[in-house]
Amino acid sequence: MFLWTISLGLYLYLSFTKSRNTIEYYVKVFATISWSVPIIIISAALVADAIGWDSDKKATPGWCWIKDNPDFGSQWIWWVISGKGIEILSCFIIPTIFFYTRKFPSQALATDTRAILSNEVKEVIEEADRKMILIPIIFIFMRCFGCIRFVLQTIQLAFPEAIVSPNNYALVLLQGIGDSSQGWANGLLFILGTRQIRNHILGNIRRLFGSPDNELQSISTYGTL
């Protein structure tokens, strides 16, 4: 999932900087990497006999398929390789990608080009800019609880005398919600944050309750993007 999220961010960045043919080439590269890397990891885990049940419940839900190993270092490496390493890297890579990507539409508003843009185009650019700020914030917020548990788990296993609680009920609950919520959170962002879609939904709701046609017309024509 994290490789696909990074790929989508890179695709958005390339759409501002590269030609269409170049972008189509990179789409194939992104797809190949995003499919092949997990296959390689799973295959390596099978060969190393690292797949199994964590009966001691040392791992958080994301690593429950990594087998118990008396050698903490070996098990920790598999936790990192199997997903947590890519997840933590994504928390740095994705905001960086969106930071550089949002400069392109922002430049259009900061230069003389703004004077020749229509109000609707300006609204679209400003809305896209807000979304490119919110997407990485939502991503980091949703995934931070699992990362906190991973750090606490690492401290607990590396230093048994340390007083930490990676299985704190609140953290477990928040990770369960956050790890499962990134998709619908982004969906709500694009649905509620896009005026055309929002007005379309509102228009259907009003139509369902029998609002007058002229009211529906004002909704459908207001601020389309």
Side-chain angles (χ1 to χ4, degrees):
M1 179 181 71
F2 306 109
L3 290 174
W4 285 108
T5 305
I6 292 173
S7 296
L8 288 171
L10 289 172
Y11 174 83
L12 184 61
Y13 175 79
L14 292 173
S15 66
F16 286 101
T17 60
K18 301 295 182 181
S19 65
R20 181 171 182 177
N21 290 336
T22 303
I23 294 173
E24 290 178 354
Y25 166 77
Y26 277 107
V27 166
K28 297 176 182 177
V29 173
F30 295 152
T32 301
I33 293 175
S34 298
W35 281 111
S36 61
V37 170
I39 292 174
I40 292 171
I41 292 173
I42 295 298
S43 301
L46 283 170
V47 172
D49 194 29
I51 296 179
W53 171 249
D54 182 11
S55 58
D56 290 338
K57 296 181 171 48
K58 293 194 295 294
T60 60
W63 317 293
C64 61
W65 55 278
I66 297 297
K67 184 187 296 184
D68 287 338
N69 192 325
D71 180 6
F72 162 66
S74 176
Q75 186 170 13
W76 186 86
I77 289 173
W78 277 112
W79 287 350
V80 174
I81 293 175
S82 64
K84 185 53 69 175
I86 298 176
E87 179 180 350
I88 293 174
L89 284 175
S90 298
C91 291
F92 295 95
I93 295 173
I94 291 174
T96 302
I97 293 173
F98 278 91
F99 171 78
Y100 281 102
T101 301
R102 67 180 290 264
K103 291 196 304 183
F104 296 101
S106 298
Q107 286 172 355
L109 294 178
T111 62
D112 294 338
T113 309
R114 182 184 183 96
I116 62 175
L117 296 176
S118 67
N119 289 333
E120 289 185 358
V121 172
K122 291 176 186 177
E123 288 181 4
V124 171
I125 294 175
E126 290 171 350
E127 183 176 288
D129 184 64
R130 288 194 296 270
K131 289 176 181 176
M132 282 189 280
I133 294 174
L134 289 173
I135 289 173
I137 291 176
I138 290 173
F139 175 81
I140 292 175
F141 177 75
M142 293 296 182
R143 310 302 306 193
C144 70
F145 305 107
C147 292
I148 292 172
R149 289 193 65 198
F150 174 74
V151 172
L152 294 178
Q153 187 72 73
T154 300
I155 294 173
Q156 185 183 63
L157 296 180
F159 307 99
E161 68 280 3
I163 303 176
V164 293
S165 180
N167 293 323
N168 176 276
Y169 178 79
L171 272 179
V172 174
L173 180 62
L174 288 171
Q175 181 187 2
I177 295 173
D179 286 2
S180 307
S181 301
Q182 182 187 346
W184 67 258
N186 284 331
L188 286 176
L189 170 65
F190 279 90
I191 291 173
L192 299 179
T194 303
R195 182 175 294 174
Q196 185 176 8
I197 298 176
R198 188 171 64 245
N199 288 342
H200 179 73
I201 294 174
L202 182 60
N204 286 335
I205 293 174
R206 295 196 177 216
R207 186 179 293 107
L208 181 65
F209 290 96
S211 293
D213 290 341
N214 59 343
E215 216 176 305
L216 295 176
Q217 180 66 21
S218 65
I219 293 172
S220 62
T221 57
Y222 173 69
T224 56
L225 302 179

